[in-house]
Structure formats: structure tokens, C-alpha cells
Amino acid sequence: MTTSRPSATPSEGQLRAEATRSMVEHTGPTAELYQSALERYLNAVSADEPEHPKPANAFPPQTVGDVMTAGVVCAHEDAAFKEVARALERNRINGVPVIDAERRVIGMVTASDLLARVVSDRRAVPAGHRLASHLDAQRKRHAGTAKELMTAPAITVTPTTTIAKAARLMARVRVRTLPVVDRENVLQGVVTRADLVRLFLRPDADIRRDVERDVLRSEDHRRSDVHVTVDEGVVTLHGHVTQELTARRLVYEAGRIPGVVDVVDAMEFDVRTSILPPA
């Protein structure tokens, strides 16, 4: 077992620019149900997690690189079964990335992989469980090394992956930890559910400051006639603009501020726009 070394990461400006380019929005008829399910998922994993406040003048986290843990426990592919088990217990973690001689991530070993040793051959595999088949479970029952135990290929993200995209990936594949890799698949760190959920613990005052600075006072919207209030992460925009399209864009941009739970549209406008972008 080993602990990875922190490595140099792109500048904050580069990360923010990449986050803007790679932001993926879920739209269409199921968008509301999707977002509701994601919110329930985030709420479910957020209990009793400590808050990590940032300085008042700092930009909020935008990408995985802003919140990941750089120094992490990992397992070489030849690590013995008990060595992996001790690492999980000693560090109170659910899983470790498995790396090769060049520190490239080749898989992931979790507590579920270890427990496959005691799973009966005839026991049904629960829906969505990471043990994809009885054959997979049988292989893991007789595994002696991390390479034989691991689930491969590993599901990974990069430091420039947006927090929203990482959260959706975790919800979709039902994992608690994602290895963070560079372009050569070399391990850079890990990001957990708790790391992502901390984003929603931002104080209302910080969220309001960011909406006013990055949305209402941006080059495109110098709006002194629009006001913002924030209560428990819910942003309310109220005021008056000329066109409906402008009002909808302000609401959309406010919703992209990290830590915003929802946006209430209380905007008024003079001219209704016949063609609007997706909600």
C-alpha cells in the first residue's frame, strides 16, 4: 500500500475556464425528475459531514480539482488481500484505487469486492450492485491480490471535471469514491461524495455575493434594478428588466452558482420573447 504524492494542478483561472466549457446541463421532459432525484441523493449522503469554509473573497469550488484529496491511500496491483483489507480498516475508507508500476489507475477495490469472498455462490446479486455477475463474484472469492480483487476498468474523473458532472456520475454508477487522474491516467487523488456535498454547505451570504458579482454585475448584465435574496441556498431574483429573455438568462446564470439549491423567478419584464433557451 502507498500514499500518492500531491502533484501540480492547473491554475484556478484555467480550472474555472475548463469548468465553463465542460458544463453539461440535463434538459428535456425528465429534467425536473432528474434534478429531484439528484437532490435526494445529495441529501442522503450529506449527514454529519464537517463544513470546510473558504475565505470570504475566494472563488467558490467549480471543479473536482478544487475539492479532491491529493494525498490518498492506493494499492499496488500485487498488494495482498489482507494488506488491502487492513488499509481500508486503518484509514476508515470504503475503497482504494489500484495502480500499476507507472502509477496508472487500472481498477478499484472496495469493501464490496472484499466481502465477495463470503458471498454464497447461490445468493442473488442485488440490482445495481457492483458485482455484475455470479462469475465475477466467484472470481473475487478466490482472489489473493488487489489486481484479482479489483473492479475494472476504474470509473475516473479528471481535475477539470465539473463538480456537477462528478455528482451525476456518482449517482448514476452508485459509487462513493472516484479516482482523479491526469491525461495519462496517472493517479492525482480521489474525490468522494462528502467532498461534493460540502459545496451545498456554503453560507447564504457567500452565495448572494457571488450572484451579485458574477451575474448581476457581469459585463452582459449591469443590472442595478434587479435584487437577490438567499434563504437556505434558495436564491430569489426580483426586479424589472426590458425583455423576458434577459430575465430568464439571469435566472439560469444564478442557478449555476456553486451551492445554489434552487432559484425562484420573481422577475418582471416588458417584452415577451417568443423563443427561449431550454429551462
Side-chain angles (χ1 to χ4, degrees):
M1 306 300 295
T2 183
T3 301
S4 70
R5 298 180 298 275
S7 60
T9 58
S11 68
E12 184 175 60
Q14 291 173 325
L15 292 175
R16 285 174 58 82
E18 180 65 25
T20 301
R21 290 193 298 270
S22 60
M23 178 66 72
V24 177
E25 297 298 330
H26 188 88
T27 61
T30 63
E32 184 175 350
L33 292 175
Y34 181 93
Q35 295 300 332
S36 176
L38 179 60
E39 180 179 354
R40 290 197 302 272
Y41 159 73
L42 292 172
N43 288 338
V45 298
S46 63
D48 300 324
E49 291 297 339
E51 183 174 354
H52 287 205
K54 280 183 170 286
N57 61 349
F59 281 103
Q62 299 271 354
T63 66
V64 167
D66 295 328
V67 298
M68 74 178 191
T69 300
V72 299
V73 177
C74 54
H76 189 270
E77 57 186 327
D78 295 328
F81 180 100
K82 283 193 174 182
E83 190 177 357
V84 177
R86 290 192 193 100
L88 295 183
E89 191 279 332
R90 183 171 58 248
N91 295 281
R92 299 181 180 274
I93 53 179
N94 181 68
V96 292
V98 181
I99 59 173
D100 62 14
E102 284 73 40
R103 297 186 57 80
R104 292 190 297 261
V105 176
I106 60 174
M108 189 80 180
V109 173
T110 68
S112 295
D113 296 323
L114 296 176
L115 292 175
R117 183 177 288 272
V118 298
V119 174
S120 170
D121 288 341
R122 297 183 179 179
R123 182 174 299 180
V125 179
H129 198 279
R130 296 198 70 202
L131 296 180
S133 67
H134 294 290
L135 182 62
D136 195 22
Q138 179 69 12
R139 174 179 62 83
K140 293 174 185 290
R141 286 190 66 193
H142 301 284
T145 66
K147 186 174 183 179
E148 295 167 341
L149 279 167
M150 70 183 186
T151 298
I155 300 170
T156 63
V157 291
T158 68
T160 56
T161 301
T162 65
I163 288 176
K165 187 173 182 180
R168 290 167 187 156
L169 178 61
M170 280 188 176
R172 186 171 70 249
V173 300
R174 303 182 186 183
V175 297
R176 299 180 181 180
T177 304
L178 292 173
V180 184
V181 299
D182 63 13
R183 293 182 179 180
E184 277 68 47
N185 208 39
V186 175
L187 182 65
Q188 304 295 299
V190 297
V191 64
T192 67
R193 291 180 180 180
D195 294 329
L196 303 182
V197 167
R198 289 191 187 104
L199 177 68
F200 291 91
L201 302 180
R202 298 188 67 215
D204 288 345
D206 289 357
I207 295 174
R208 178 180 177 180
R209 180 202 66 224
D210 291 344
V211 173
E212 291 176 341
R213 179 190 65 196
D214 300 335
V215 178
L216 302 185
R217 297 176 186 171
S218 67
E219 291 298 324
D220 295 333
H221 316 295
R222 294 189 179 275
R223 301 292 172 187
S224 59
D225 49 355
V226 178
H227 306 281
V228 56
T229 58
V230 184
D231 183 21
E232 293 295 320
V234 177
V235 173
T236 300
L237 291 180
H238 46 90
H240 183 274
V241 293
T242 303
Q243 298 190 23
E244 181 183 12
L245 182 60
T246 301
R248 297 296 175 263
R249 181 168 180 80
L250 290 173
V251 171
Y252 169 76
E253 294 293 343
R256 297 181 65 184
I257 296 295
V260 171
V261 175
D262 195 10
V263 181
V264 177
D265 181 1
M267 299 288 294
E268 297 180 354
F269 49 85
D270 298 323
V271 179
R272 181 172 295 278
T273 306
S274 59
I275 300 178
L276 292 173

